[in-house]
Every structure is written in C-alpha cells, then in structure tokens.
Amino acid sequence: MKKHDLIEIALKARELSYSPYSRFAVGAALLCKDGSIYLGANIENASYPLSMCAERNAIYYAHMEGKTKVDFVALAVVGDTEMPISPCGACRQVLSELFPLDAPIYLANLLGDIRETSIEELLPFAFDSSDL
Ligand code: THU
C-alpha cells in the first residue's frame, strides 16, 4: 500500500474522533503485513485526562486482535495542524514499546504536508524494559 493511501484511511478514521472538548480531531491508520488496517481516532472525556489519542487507540485495537510489533508495517497519523502533526510524548513512549523502531510513520496534516519518520527518530534514548 502506498503512503498516500494509508494517510487517506487515517483521514477517514479522523471522522470517528470524539473530541468535543479540544475540537481537535486526529485520525490514525496502522497497516499490518497481512494487509489488515487498524483505525484509531482520539476519544475524549469530560474528565479530560481520561482522553485517549488516535495513535494509541489504533495500536491497542490491533493488540486486542492479536497483532504485535512483528506484524506492523507502517502507521499514518493526521490532524489539522500547520505542519505535519507531532505525536504526544505518551504516544511516543507507547509506540516505542509496541511498534517497530524503524518502521515508517507518516505524519500528515489537512494541507497535504507529510513528514516520514520512525519511532527511533521521534523518541531517541527511550525508557524501556531494559531499564527496569
Ligand atoms: N491527540 C492525538 O490524538 N494525537 C496526537 O498526536 C496529538 C494529540 C489528541 C489528544 C486530544 O484529544 C486532542 O488531540 C488535543 O490534544
């Protein structure tokens, strides 16, 4: 699958965002080797800290379907930002454990800007299980 197609799917996932508090909708699409794609959108709550980001919803959804790090090919994330969206620190930490370190992550906005990166680039010197 081409990166633009995965970004388009993340854009569709964004429509499922529940973000009445921030009014900032984010969509994510996680591509697996078997061709399956897991969607995520941010889901907020009146108790604000309980809100969950699009990226984490996508990867937790995949996890609950039995998918692990070895199954993932690429992740796309889209938000209405000036520059391609930048994942929050919590999502970087979760992705550093559950997503392949060097797999492509496509960050995009609604203007068509795309930044291709990886979790090792987004979160260098991450805290991980070897630190415990
Ligand atoms: N958010 C995401 O879902 N992903 C990101 O990469 C950045 C932030 C959500 C969290 C919250 O629901 C809203 O965007 C505003 O922070």
Side-chain angles (χ1 to χ4, degrees):
M1 168 172 288
K2 297 240 163 58
K3 79 175 152 195
H4 285 98
D5 296 328
L6 195 62
I7 290 166
E8 276 301 313
I9 292 167
L11 204 55
K12 289 296 288 178
R14 184 173 171 272
E15 293 172 15
L16 295 170
S17 168
Y18 175 73
S19 44
Y21 306 106
S22 71
R23 303 196 181 282
F24 184 76
V26 183
L30 177 59
L31 175 65
C32 298
K33 285 179 187 159
D34 66 4
S36 57
I37 296 172
Y38 292 88
L39 306 181
N42 55 328
I43 299 178
E44 299 184 344
N45 190 273
S47 177
Y48 297 166
L50 301 184
S51 302
M52 181 56 68
C53 292
E55 302 90 312
R56 275 180 288 159
N57 272 332
I59 205 150
Y60 292 155
Y61 177 17
H63 181 87
M64 292 311 297
E65 298 261 311
K67 295 291 197 299
T68 67
K69 196 185 273 200
V70 298
D71 298 304
F72 302 136
V73 174
L75 172 69
V77 190
V78 187
D80 187 8
T81 42
E82 202 174 311
M83 306 289 284
I85 191 165
S86 181
C88 79
C91 286
R92 292 177 196 217
Q93 180 66 28
V94 167
L95 290 170
S96 76
E97 182 145 345
L98 300 181
F99 189 74
L101 287 181
D102 58 353
I105 298 179
Y106 309 124
L107 303 175
N109 62 14
L110 305 187
L111 305 169
D113 301 314
I114 300 168
R115 173 178 293 155
E116 185 169 336
T117 184
S118 64
I119 197 62
E120 63 190 354
E121 189 173 72
L122 287 169
L123 189 64
F125 195 54
F127 179 81
D128 65 26
S129 59
S130 69
D131 294 308
L132 296 172

